[in-house]
Each structure stands twice: as structure tokens, then as C-alpha cells.
Amino acid sequence: MPGFELFGEEEKKQVNDVLETGVLMRYGFDGMRNGQWKAKEFEKTLATRMESKHVQMVSSGTAALTVALASAGIGAGDEVIMPTFTFVASFESILALGAVPILVDVDDTLTLNPAAVENAITPRTKVVMPVHMCGSMADLKALKAICDTHNLLLLEDACQAIGGTFEGKPLGSYGDLGCFSFDFVKTITSGEGGAIITNNEKYYTNADHYSDHGHDHVGNDRGAESHPFLGYNYRISELHAAVGIAQLRRLDSFLERQKKYYNSIRKGLAAVPEITFRTVPNGGVENYSFISFFMPSQELAEKAHKALGEAGVDACFYWFNNNWHYYKKWEHLTHKISLGKLSKEVQEQLPDYSQSDFSLSDKWVSRNISCLVKLSWTEEEVEMRVQKMVKAIKSVLS
């Protein structure tokens, strides 16, 4: 998801605007800014692009998830349903608030299985958190219906899927809250950064305060601001926001290029009858940052992944054995390994994931290979890549 491949003069100009003022912090120092408010500009532009009333920029995607949960009042003992296939930030953000991550199976979308979500709901459940991994989404319509029935919040982790849509709405805007990451290897990058989007004014106000030590941001004297509640520091800097502004303006061109290369790769792979592709729910449109497909068996997937590497095809991922993205290697969660003492609620309520049966997830993830779609390729490089991929996979199948 490499926005970092295409830095240019616009990014340089935006950063230089900040350096010329000398004000790197998003709050205060009004007289020195010469009208430059990059974080505010990023928020306004992103709100328009995401068709949302409110945006709060923060320091990372992990911070976005944490602040989003906190803004909705999620805390000690509350349960948040999340998928077995995601990045570790999903459960980190939950645990940071003393809440309890409840892992459930994924299906052929490689995201939350609605039936598994329904079965995991308890009186302590407060949030369903679908994670739109590798550029595509869960069946949000089914999840929204579940949330409405049980009075739960739907929080979209769209950190890997900016630019995708569901039923015509930008991913992240379908639920009650949506989160994005702008770290170095996302579709667009600000180096480090994240954002929360919502149409709920209370959640937005809470996020605004919570992400800056509880400051209420009333008036022009930062030192005189009051603190309605406890908060922490999840601020984005003006330098990071400046890069993000330039990258956001290029998002549609990035998506167009990704789609073109994605379609070329998929067309080539579709000629291999043994390959099937990840399911995109009805009404969904990917952001085309990855092409994800299934081999007939785990053994063939492992062999195909190895063959792709040996053929010089980079950026192909076999998540089943990945330390960061699949539950099997999350020993620190399974064994509750933390520098500080975990909350009593987490100690008592966290399931014993070493004994959990996630065979439904294993069925899909063990056969999946996901290949990154790079922006910096030429059309000739894409065609050569397709040929290498097809040849490598056919060699395994034969």
C-alpha cells in the first residue's frame, strides 16, 4: 500500500510551508503561522473526501482506533469483537483501554464472518470492529443489521482500505466510526498519522479532547483551556499533516493506477482454473491495493508462495505464518504478556486463545496468498510479473 513510492514537488511544498513558519505543532502559536494550519486543512479535506461531518487527525492508525473507542465510552470490561486476521494494533487499541478483544472467525472475504459475530455477542459486547484487510471489506450490511439488533457500535478499521466503497459510501463512513492509518506503507502516507471519521458530534468532540490531554480547545489561550475529562497525547504534527495533504490530493490517481494493475494481474491469474479469488461482498468496491486469491489446499499455497519468491516475484504474503497479522503467532496476546499489569477485567474475561477453535479462519487463510499492487511499476513490469506468477503457480500445480 505504498504511497511513499510517489513523493513529489507537492509534498515538498507542503512541508516547506510548515518549515518556513517554524511552527510544527498543530495547536497554538497563532501569530507565527502565517495562516498555515495543516492538520486542520487535512481534516477538512478528508471529511469532504470521506463524506463525513467530522474528522480528527491523530498520530497513527493505532491511535485512531484507541481514540475512537475511548470517544464512544469503551473501557474496562467492555468486549470488542474483532477478526482473527488483522494487524496487532486491533487488539492493542482495545487492551489499552482495559477492554477485552473477542476474536472471531473470518470467511472468504478474509474479514469478519457475520455468523461468527452473532455467536460471539454477550451482555458485555459493546462494539463490532470489522477490519478491511488488504483493501477489501466485510459484509457491512449484515454486520450493521447485527449491530442495530443488539444496540452495538460498528467501528470500521479502514486503515488498509482507504478509497474503497460499500453501497456507494466510502469505507470508514458506513459505521458509527471509521479509522484510517497514514503510516509509511499505506495507500497514502504522512510518514506517521491516522484519522477518525464520524457523523456523531459527541464522539468527535470527545476524540478532539481525548487526543490532546483532555483540552477542550475553547478560546485562544491554550494555557487557559479547561479539561472536561482525562486525555492523552495522540496529536499529529503539522509536518506529518502537510505530507498527508499532498498525498490525499493524489489518492484518486493512486487508486486508478492500482485498479489498472490489479485487473491485469487478476486477468492473468484467472487463466489458472485452480485459483479462486477473495469474495467482495455485494455492493463493495475494493481499493485494489492487494490481489488476494486461494489455492486448492494449504500445502499448495505454501509451495506456491515459495515458488513465487524463487521466481523473483516480490511483495507476496502468506499470512497464515505471519507474526503480525494472524492469531496463530500472537503469543503475547495468548499468554497475556505485558510490561505493566493488565486490568482485572482483561485478566478474568480474556478467552484462552491457546485453546480456541478458529478452524473456519484457518480454512481460508491457510490457502490464501495476497500480493501487493505497487504504484511504481510500469505496464511492462506488470505484464512480466503476471507471466512469472502464472508460471510459478502452474509449476506447483503440475
Side-chain angles (χ1 to χ4, degrees):
M1 300 164 287
F4 70 85
E5 292 183 286
L6 298 179
F7 286 138
E9 294 303 314
E10 180 60 22
E11 285 85 356
K12 295 176 184 177
K13 179 186 180 303
Q14 289 287 339
V15 169
N16 196 53
D17 286 346
V18 176
L19 293 177
E20 286 184 347
T21 68
V23 181
L24 309 188
M25 184 178 179
R26 72 160 298 174
Y27 298 112
F29 304 96
D30 299 27
M32 298 170 56
R33 290 180 176 273
N34 296 325
Q36 299 291 336
W37 297 87
K38 297 301 184 183
K40 289 182 179 180
E41 183 180 347
F42 197 173
E43 288 168 343
K44 182 178 179 181
T45 307
L46 186 63
T48 299
R49 183 63 175 77
M50 294 295 111
E51 301 175 12
S52 294
K53 292 180 180 179
H54 307 293
V55 173
Q56 180 65 38
M57 304 304 306
V58 289
S59 54
S60 69
T62 310
L65 293 169
T66 306
V67 173
L69 290 166
S71 73
I74 304 305
D78 293 333
E79 293 181 353
V80 180
I81 292 175
M82 54 165 279
T84 52
F85 174 44
T86 179
F87 182 54
V88 294
S90 297
F91 64 76
E92 289 171 346
S93 63
I94 297 165
L95 291 171
L97 298 169
V100 183
I102 302 298
L103 274 57
V104 304
D105 278 311
V106 299
D107 56 21
D108 57 350
T109 66
L110 293 176
T111 55
L112 279 180
N113 181 329
V117 170
E118 185 87 55
N119 291 336
I121 294 171
T122 75
R124 295 191 180 103
T125 306
K126 295 294 189 296
V127 181
V128 174
M129 182 196 290
V131 183
H132 307 322
M133 288 291 288
C134 301
S136 191
M137 74 298 300
D139 185 345
L140 289 172
K141 186 174 182 178
L143 294 178
K144 182 69 164 61
I146 292 171
C147 288
D148 288 346
T149 298
H150 297 276
N151 194 29
L152 305 175
L153 289 174
L154 182 62
L155 193 167
E156 293 178 72
D157 178 344
C159 289
Q160 291 192 6
I162 190 169
T165 62
F166 187 76
E167 295 185 344
K169 294 176 65 64
L171 291 180
S173 70
Y174 194 88
D176 300 285
L177 292 145
C179 294
F180 298 97
S181 171
F182 304 111
D183 74 20
F184 197 53
V185 289
K186 291 302 186 289
T187 301
I188 59 173
T189 182
S190 59
E192 291 286 357
I196 303 111
I197 65 173
T198 185
N199 289 326
N200 185 298
E201 187 170 357
K202 179 181 179 182
Y203 296 163
Y204 164 67
T205 300
N206 287 346
D208 170 76
H209 297 4
Y210 187 81
S211 60
D212 183 31
H213 301 291
H215 278 270
D216 65 8
H217 299 138
V218 174
N220 297 317
D221 183 353
R222 183 168 173 80
E225 291 172 355
S226 63
H227 303 85
F229 48 75
L230 288 170
Y232 301 90
N233 181 4
Y234 294 108
R235 296 188 302 262
I236 193 171
S237 78
E238 289 289 274
L239 284 173
H240 290 98
V243 178
I245 290 168
Q247 288 264 297
L248 183 56
R249 290 174 179 170
R250 306 175 71 182
L251 175 58
D252 287 330
S253 67
F254 289 178
L255 296 172
E256 182 180 0
R257 185 177 300 202
Q258 285 181 172
K259 181 178 181 180
K260 182 177 182 180
Y261 293 167
Y262 173 102
N263 285 336
S264 294
I265 297 170
R266 177 159 178 151
K267 182 179 179 181
L269 293 178
V272 182
E274 292 88 348
I275 287 177
T276 57
F277 294 94
R278 171 189 202 168
T279 295
V280 179
N282 289 335
V285 177
E286 300 176 75
N287 80 347
Y288 304 105
S289 54
F290 283 84
I291 183 161
S292 297
F293 58 92
F294 302 108
M295 296 294 291
S297 69
Q298 176 180 340
E299 180 183 7
L300 287 171
E302 292 174 348
K303 289 181 177 179
H305 181 249
K306 182 179 179 181
L308 288 167
E310 291 173 346
V313 181
D314 66 342
C316 292
F317 301 92
Y318 183 60
W319 304 115
F320 193 66
N321 289 332
N322 183 278
N323 286 344
W324 288 357
H325 292 87
Y326 199 51
Y327 79 93
K328 283 183 174 293
K329 297 294 183 72
W330 294 342
E331 293 93 348
H332 51 320
L333 175 65
T334 301
H335 300 298
K336 305 176 185 177
I337 301 171
S338 174
L339 291 178
K341 188 175 182 180
L342 294 171
S343 71
K344 177 183 177 183
E345 289 83 359
V346 170
Q347 293 282 4
E348 294 179 351
Q349 293 173 225
L350 189 71
D352 182 359
Y353 288 125
S354 67
Q355 303 299 317
S356 296
D357 177 10
F358 292 123
S359 54
L360 292 178
S361 296
D362 293 343
K363 170 187 174 183
W364 297 108
V365 180
S366 68
R367 298 189 295 113
N368 166 247
I369 297 173
S370 294
C371 297
L372 189 66
V373 178
K374 292 188 177 181
L375 298 170
S376 58
W377 290 330
T378 64
E379 292 186 26
E380 291 76 17
E381 287 173 326
V382 172
E383 181 57 35
M384 186 177 298
R385 183 180 182 86
V386 172
Q387 293 174 12
K388 288 182 177 179
M389 291 180 73
V390 171
K391 183 178 179 180
I393 291 171
K394 282 186 174 180
S395 71
V396 168
L397 292 169
S398 63

